[in-house]
């Protein structure tokens, strides 16, 4: 049962949804339509029908299709950023931290709602407002990762950022490949393999310029 169907099932017949609940319902319907059809093929009629409302009700909350798409994009970009930040803060063990961050990307693309397609596989990347949001969340995730790298290695801000962009990029590209290829490799195994690859590289950087290499435990 979808989020929309669950909302409708829980709502007593003849009652009106509060504005926030209605907005969330419309966003849920829009996500299903955009993920299934892409931005260009989706129509506001389709979204209204999927939500079980009239077009005027839909337009009361969102003035147009682009505004609706951008609202969804903001929601899911923020979800990705928070997942990465939570992963980074989940442990002080550096190797486990790399694994948790990798897994955050895998969990994000594996979510059954397919929201990652709006962020990483949008058919609207030529729209400046969309491109700006996608670039911004990639940058924010990299900045969060780079802060940890800089703190633990003593590398400069620019060097840490370069490594962070690499780690984030590899994570989302591999996670998307893993999902699209319908790989028989379980998610935890895939994350472990990718973590081993990344850790062999990142562990080679010293904790501080005068110190030795990071230990296998990442301290």
């Amino acid at each position: 049962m979808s989020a929309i169907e669950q909302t409708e099932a829980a709502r007593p017949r003849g009652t009106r949804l509060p504005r926030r609940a209605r907005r969330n319902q419309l966003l849920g319907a829009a996500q299903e339509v955009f993920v299934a059809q892409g931005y260009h093929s989706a129509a506001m009629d389709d979204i209204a029908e999927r939500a079980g409302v009239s077009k005027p009700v839909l337009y009361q909350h969102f003035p147009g299709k682009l505004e609706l798409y951008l609202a969804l994009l903001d929601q899911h970009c923020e979800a990705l950023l928070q997942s990465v930040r939570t992963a980074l803060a989940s442990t002080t063990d550096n190797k486990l931290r790399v694994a948790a961050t990798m897994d955050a990307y895998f969990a994000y693309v594996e979510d059954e709602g397919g929201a990652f397609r709006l962020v990483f596989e949008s058919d609207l990347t030529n729209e400046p407002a969309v491109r700006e949001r996608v670039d911004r969340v990639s940058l924010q995730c990299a900045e969060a990762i780079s802060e940890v790298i800089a703190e633990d290695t003593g590398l400069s801000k620019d060097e840490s950022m370069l490594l962070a962009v690499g780690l984030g990029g590899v994570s989302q590209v591999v996670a998307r490949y893993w999902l699209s290829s319908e790989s028989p490799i379980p998610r935890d195994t895939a994350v472990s393999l990718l973590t081993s690859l990344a850790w062999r590289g990142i562990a080679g950087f010293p904790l501080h310029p005068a110190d030795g290499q990071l230990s296998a435990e990442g301290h």
Side-chain angles (χ1 to χ4, degrees):
M1 183 180 289
S2 70
I4 300 168
E5 292 167 336
Q6 290 173 355
T7 299
E8 290 300 315
R11 180 168 61 93
R13 292 186 180 276
T15 62
R16 294 182 61 184
L17 286 176
R19 184 171 181 82
R20 180 179 293 275
R22 176 66 76 191
R23 177 183 170 87
N24 289 336
Q25 180 201 29
L26 296 174
L27 287 171
Q31 179 176 328
E32 292 179 9
V33 174
F34 283 135
V35 168
Q37 300 181 22
Y39 178 84
H40 293 294
S41 296
M44 293 294 270
D45 285 322
D46 299 328
I47 296 168
E49 181 180 353
R50 184 71 189 88
V53 301
S54 64
K55 281 181 66 177
V57 169
L58 180 57
Y59 280 112
Q60 284 175 9
H61 293 265
F62 302 98
K65 187 168 73 166
L66 179 59
E67 288 78 12
L68 180 50
Y69 191 87
L70 293 177
L72 265 178
L73 198 56
D74 285 337
Q75 182 184 80
H76 293 301
C77 283
E78 180 63 23
L80 173 61
L81 178 59
Q82 290 307 315
S83 292
V84 170
R85 285 175 172 168
T86 298
L88 290 168
S90 65
T91 178
T92 57
D93 182 297
N94 287 316
K95 187 172 183 180
L96 293 179
R97 188 181 273 155
V98 170
T101 304
M102 298 285 186
D103 190 59
Y105 283 92
F106 275 76
Y108 186 71
V109 304
E110 193 181 28
D111 183 83
E112 64 181 13
F116 81 95
R117 300 188 188 282
L118 305 178
V119 180
F120 296 130
E121 298 178 1
S122 173
D123 60 346
L124 196 62
T125 53
N126 60 332
E127 166 60 45
V130 172
R131 184 74 263 159
E132 187 274 333
R133 283 164 169 78
V134 173
D135 288 345
R136 183 175 61 201
V137 73
S138 296
L139 180 64
Q140 289 174 325
C141 288
E143 286 174 341
I145 296 170
S146 73
E147 290 176 5
V148 175
I149 293 176
E151 179 180 349
D152 288 345
T153 66
L155 292 173
S156 71
K157 179 179 179 179
D158 289 339
E159 290 170 328
S160 298
M161 190 64 180
L162 190 68
L163 292 176
V165 169
L167 285 173
V170 166
S171 298
Q172 64 100 347
V173 168
V174 174
R176 286 164 54 204
Y177 166 79
W178 170 78
L179 185 71
S180 65
S181 67
E182 299 181 349
S183 173
I185 301 173
R187 177 174 130 195
D188 58 347
T189 303
V191 169
S192 179
L193 286 169
L194 191 58
T195 298
S196 295
L197 175 65
W199 182 247
R200 287 178 184 276
I202 198 71
F205 291 95
L207 181 61
H208 293 291
D211 293 340
Q213 294 181 330
L214 290 170
S215 71
E217 291 73 34
H219 300 300

